[in-house]
């Protein structure tokens, strides 16, 4: 089927077909690589050696977390516009999408496997440390987080915990809490998720609260702590520092 015909098919397809496209999208992605339980699928050819390096990097990031599982996770790299609209649905502007519990498949748009980069909407490569490996690990991390919860609990999980923990796993290193606090105090716009689109503020709050309370990620998820309470703890501590 030609691309245009497939695009029309998706527009008129019943809901069950759309769900099948998200749970079993492999026929739409003819190029793939595997690394243990992880696999990378693309609608464009890519360098197999580079893909293996990226998957090894994603595995390293996931393995650092106590939330890591033994399940298979598939990463789908979308290049064509019609696939992006058909598979990202209402998230068409996002760099990455996770549909768990519907599927463990995660979808990334505008990514260049050979360069280990995700592109902006204007085609510029996003800067390290936000590499393709970071974005893939971040999206899979949402699955690891939600596996801890029932579907109802998943809906109630505060955004700062969900995105903060996903970013903590995605970055693959220990958060520099003091450095993030200094950037927050200096008014760094990256610490404002609404302005920057980055989750550095949530990563700071997650790292701070777990360290302050002696919690592991599972304890933080179970707490469902409101963001206002976490912000209050951090503000009180900063007051003592001054
Ligand atoms: Zn996220």
């Amino acid at each position: 089927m030609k691309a245009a015909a497939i695009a029309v098919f998706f527009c008129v397809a019943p809901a069950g077909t759309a769900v099948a496209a998200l749970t079993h999208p492999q026929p739409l992605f003819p190029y793939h690589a595997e690394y243990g339980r992880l696999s990378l699928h693309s609608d464009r050819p890519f360098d197999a050696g580079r893909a293996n390096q990226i998957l090894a990097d994603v595995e390293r990031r996931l393995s650092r977390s106590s939330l890591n599982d033994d399940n298979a996770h598939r990463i789908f790299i979308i290049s064509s516009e019609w696939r992006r609209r058909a598979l990202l649905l209402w998230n068409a502007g996002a760099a990455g999408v996770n549909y768990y519990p519907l599927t463990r498949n995660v979808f990334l748009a505008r990514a260049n496997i050979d360069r280990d980069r995700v592109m902006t909407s204007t085609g510029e490569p996003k800067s390290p440390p936000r590499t393709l490996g970071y974005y893939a690990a971040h999206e899979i991390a949402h699955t690891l987080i939600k596996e801890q919860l029932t579907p109802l609990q998943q809906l109630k999980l505060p955004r700062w915990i969900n995105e903060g923990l996903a970013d903590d796993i995605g970055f693959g290193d220990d958060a520099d809490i003091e450095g993030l606090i200094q950037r927050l105090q200096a008014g760094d716009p990256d610490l404002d998720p609404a302005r920057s689109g980055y989750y550095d503020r949530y990563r700071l709050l997650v790292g701070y609260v777990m360290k302050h309370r002696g919690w592991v990620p599972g304890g933080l998820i179970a707490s469902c702590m409101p963001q206002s309470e976490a912000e209050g703890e951090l503000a009180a501590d900063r007051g003592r520092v001054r």
Side-chain angles (χ1 to χ4, degrees), residues 34-114:
E34 294 188 12
Y35 184 90
R37 49 64 179 270
L38 300 180
S39 60
L40 189 63
H41 305 253
S42 175
D43 55 353
R44 297 282 188 273
F46 56 79
D47 182 89
R50 196 73 179 116
N52 269 350
Q53 289 175 349
I54 291 171
L55 289 172
D57 180 38
V58 173
E59 183 64 65
R60 178 190 67 77
R61 292 170 195 252
L62 300 177
S63 298
R64 289 184 64 259
S65 176
S66 60
L67 300 176
N68 192 25
D69 63 13
D70 296 323
N71 294 321
H73 297 276
R74 290 176 288 273
I75 304 156
F76 291 87
I77 306 296
I78 305 170
S79 295
S80 76
E81 182 66 14
W82 74 264
R83 285 183 181 84
R84 191 173 66 83
R85 291 185 180 280
L87 298 171
L88 298 195
L89 302 173
W90 57 91
N91 307 291
V97 175
N98 175 310
Y99 292 106
Y100 188 84
L102 177 66
T103 175
R104 284 194 178 81
N105 300 333
V106 299
F107 299 87
L108 299 177
R110 305 189 195 92
N112 185 316
I113 296 170
D114 293 351

Side-chain angles (χ1 to χ4, degrees), residues 6-210:
I6 296 173
V8 170
F9 169 75
F10 262 96
C11 290
V12 299
T17 306
V19 168
L22 297 177
T23 57
H24 298 87
Q26 288 89 335
L28 303 177
F29 295 84
Y31 307 97
H32 75 279
E34 294 188 12
Y35 184 90
R37 49 64 179 270
L38 300 180
S39 60
L40 189 63
H41 305 253
S42 175
D43 55 353
R44 297 282 188 273
F46 56 79
D47 182 89
R50 196 73 179 116
N52 269 350
Q53 289 175 349
I54 291 171
L55 289 172
D57 180 38
V58 173
E59 183 64 65
R60 178 190 67 77
R61 292 170 195 252
L62 300 177
S63 298
R64 289 184 64 259
S65 176
S66 60
L67 300 176
N68 192 25
D69 63 13
D70 296 323
N71 294 321
H73 297 276
R74 290 176 288 273
I75 304 156
F76 291 87
I77 306 296
I78 305 170
S79 295
S80 76
E81 182 66 14
W82 74 264
R83 285 183 181 84
R84 191 173 66 83
R85 291 185 180 280
L87 298 171
L88 298 195
L89 302 173
W90 57 91
N91 307 291
V97 175
N98 175 310
Y99 292 106
Y100 188 84
L102 177 66
T103 175
R104 284 194 178 81
N105 300 333
V106 299
F107 299 87
L108 299 177
R110 305 189 195 92
N112 185 316
I113 296 170
D114 293 351
R115 297 174 66 185
D116 190 16
R117 290 289 182 275
V118 169
M119 306 299 166
T120 66
S121 57
T122 56
E124 299 296 316
K126 298 193 179 192
S127 303
R130 292 182 177 84
T131 60
L132 172 51
Y134 152 80
Y135 277 99
H138 176 109
E139 290 307 326
I140 293 172
H142 282 308
T143 300
L144 304 183
I145 293 164
K146 292 179 178 177
E147 281 176 338
Q148 311 295 313
L149 302 167
T150 66
L152 183 60
Q153 289 171 328
Q154 291 171 26
L155 294 174
K156 294 180 177 177
L157 184 67
R159 178 176 168 81
W160 76 274
I161 295 177
N162 189 23
E163 295 297 354
L165 279 176
D167 235 33
D168 198 52
I169 294 172
F171 269 96
D173 57 21
D174 293 333
D176 176 9
I177 304 296
E178 290 307 315
L180 286 167
I181 289 175
Q182 288 174 10
R183 288 170 55 198
L184 178 65
Q185 291 175 322
D188 185 336
D190 280 3
L191 272 290
D192 181 350
R195 289 172 64 190
S196 66
Y198 295 142
Y199 301 127
D200 289 340
R201 190 191 196 95
Y202 301 148
R203 192 179 181 217
L204 164 59
L205 291 174
V206 159
Y208 177 81
V209 168
M210 288 199 298

